[in-house]
Amino acid sequence: MPILDELSGFEFEDVMEDVFRNLGYTNVRQAAKTADEGRDILMDERVNGTTRGVVVECKHTGTVGRPVVQKLHSAVATYDFDGPKRGIVVTTGTFTGPATEYAQRLRDNGDPYPIELIDGKGMRSIAEEVGLDLYNGRIEILCDETLRPTDPTSGTDGPVREAFRDIENLDQTKLSTPTTHATFEPVVLVTATVDAVFETSVGVIHRIDERMQFVVRAARTQPRILDSAVASLVSENRGQTVRIEGLDLAADFDDHEVQRFGKTETEYKQWAVDRLKQHHATTVSYTGDNNVDYHKECVPNHSDISVQSIEAVYLPDIHQTTTIQEYSYPYAYYAAGPSRVTHEDGIHECVQCGDADAATFTFCSNCGSINCESHIKTERLEQEPVCTGCAVTDRFALRRKYFYSEANRDAFADEYAAMPPHEKARENVPAAIAAVVGTVGVLALLLVQTGLL
């Protein structure tokens, strides 16, 4: 049967490891290849509340005979597992009559170690369920599950309105509805264990026994591990997903895009294994039996790493833009219902200098800008905030004054011209005080020089 023809035997085992994981088996891992015991893949399954061990023999051949089935039966019997056990022989080809009869006889006789046979036809049935491309062995990731892109209690606009809440001088009731674009980014949640022991003539010098979980961006670019905050958002909400096809995306968003998974599950598994090998690689120093110091590079083997699961899910990346007068404010976050991780905040950023760490931000209703403390002033005529970017300025009483417009400046100029001297002095109190102090000082000096003081 012309399926998976270009794969080697070991590559076929890699594919089947992913297939069984997708079928719901747990603790799926390849057996050590140091000895041929008729065990290629080991895994567990739950049957009526009981965990059963499963031993798999993979045969990438045209025909499988009775000896292979008998050998697997013995391998299952000697497999060190505390509980019921069974075996599976999976092949891309067919089984001979004697092989089929032997497996049937085990079942008919109630043998404690039954053997299931999966041939090329059975593979076709599996392919439809897990997305396996029968002609190249690739398991395409099929996923319709996404973290919730919106919080039902606050609506699509809720996060943006919450972000604007602490902007001073801003009337939220006058905010326009933001434009919203949703991108459903593919990610995979990888769970793996590393169990490696490194020995020399002096005994064990290094041991790794660790279970790891990380989230990988799975778009068409190179795989990349997400930062801890986004990874936590995915892992903590993985059990509360919804189906994309069940969402009314057109009603919630002005535009949306569902990206494709960039690689196959097999490729992500291999990438994870390679990364874990690199992550755990270390050089260990030890003293030999001859009291000589040695250095050994300890790198886990492929068989030391078991990828327990690769869970695919979509991560909503929500981009919202709110336009106020002549300014547009972007706000972007990864969403999981009421939870989110913000990755772009153009609201809390001064439009004049780009400062995003200011203690307070103030809205200028004259032009629609948001500003830090250094770029917001008080408008002289109306006593309201105005930014340095749009304000019209002029000097009165040797001090710079800020106005919404030239009309306001001219109106104040008329007022200023009509002010008595003492009121003009109030426009620059520090300067007036300095002038008085200076005058008193000059008078005191003259009095001293004339002998009157």
Side-chain angles (χ1 to χ4, degrees), residues 88-395:
I88 298 175
V89 181
V90 58
T91 179
T92 54
T94 60
F95 293 97
T96 64
T100 303
E101 292 171 3
Y102 182 80
Q104 184 63 48
R105 189 179 311 121
L106 293 176
R107 290 192 295 272
D108 293 343
N109 294 337
D111 192 278
Y113 313 120
I115 305 296
E116 178 185 359
L117 305 182
I118 301 176
D119 61 8
K121 291 182 179 180
M123 290 284 288
R124 277 196 291 270
S125 176
I126 290 174
E128 184 176 346
E129 184 171 349
V130 303
L132 172 64
D133 185 337
L134 294 175
Y135 291 94
N136 63 20
R138 292 175 178 268
I139 299 180
E140 306 295 339
I141 295 180
L142 305 177
C143 179
D144 185 46
E145 296 293 320
T146 180
L147 303 181
R148 288 186 177 275
T150 60
D151 179 3
T153 62
S154 63
T156 306
D157 299 349
V160 166
R161 293 190 175 278
E162 182 178 331
F164 274 111
R165 191 170 298 161
D166 63 351
I167 304 299
E168 297 185 358
N169 195 49
L170 177 65
D171 183 357
Q172 283 215 16
T173 62
K174 297 182 179 179
L175 281 177
S176 62
T177 300
T179 59
T180 306
H181 176 84
T183 301
F184 292 85
E185 294 190 0
V187 299
V188 290
L189 178 64
V190 180
T191 303
T193 59
V194 183
D195 186 3
V197 178
F198 302 90
E199 295 183 81
T200 67
S201 59
V202 300
V204 176
I205 61 169
H206 185 56
R207 181 187 297 273
I208 305 171
D209 184 6
E210 186 173 346
R211 185 179 186 273
M212 302 183 68
Q213 189 175 77
F214 47 92
V215 180
V216 180
R217 188 180 301 280
R220 296 194 173 187
T221 56
Q222 249 331 84
R224 178 170 61 85
I225 292 181
L226 299 178
D227 65 49
S228 58
V230 182
S232 296
L233 182 75
V234 175
S235 59
E236 291 172 5
N237 293 277
R238 179 65 186 90
Q240 303 175 40
T241 59
V242 294
R243 297 182 67 83
I244 293 179
E245 65 180 14
L247 299 173
D248 189 354
L249 299 178
D252 289 334
F253 308 108
D254 297 290
D255 191 17
H256 67 274
E257 173 190 5
V258 181
Q259 297 182 344
R260 293 177 61 88
F261 283 81
K263 297 182 181 297
T264 67
E265 182 173 315
T266 302
E267 289 169 320
Y268 286 119
K269 185 194 74 172
Q270 186 59 54
W271 180 88
V273 169
D274 291 341
R275 186 188 180 281
L276 289 172
K277 289 172 66 175
Q278 181 181 10
H279 175 74
H280 288 286
T282 186
T283 300
V284 177
S285 301
Y286 67 97
T287 302
D289 294 330
N290 54 2
N291 290 324
V292 175
D293 292 335
Y294 294 93
H295 305 283
K296 179 178 176 61
E297 185 178 11
C298 299
V299 181
N301 294 319
H302 186 284
S303 59
D304 296 327
I305 301 172
S306 174
V307 177
Q308 306 282 300
S309 64
I310 295 181
E311 300 177 71
V313 68
Y314 282 101
L315 172 63
D317 184 4
I318 311 301
H319 286 252
Q320 297 183 295
T321 302
T322 305
T323 300
I324 308 177
Q325 294 170 239
E326 59 189 87
Y327 291 93
S328 294
Y329 297 98
Y331 187 70
Y333 54 92
Y334 296 112
S339 302
R340 62 182 179 273
V341 174
T342 302
H343 62 84
E344 182 182 8
D345 185 358
I347 298 171
H348 295 87
E349 181 177 303
C350 178
V351 302
Q352 313 295 336
C353 65
D355 183 7
D357 299 316
T360 59
F361 292 93
T362 304
F363 177 69
C364 172
S365 58
N366 193 49
C367 66
S369 65
I370 294 175
N371 308 268
C372 67
E373 304 100 315
S374 300
H375 293 93
I376 199 75
K377 302 296 180 180
T378 300
E379 208 270 357
R380 175 60 188 84
L381 199 63
E382 301 185 30
Q383 296 296 304
E384 294 293 334
V386 65
C387 72
T388 58
C390 73
V392 174
T393 64
D394 207 339
R395 286 187 175 276

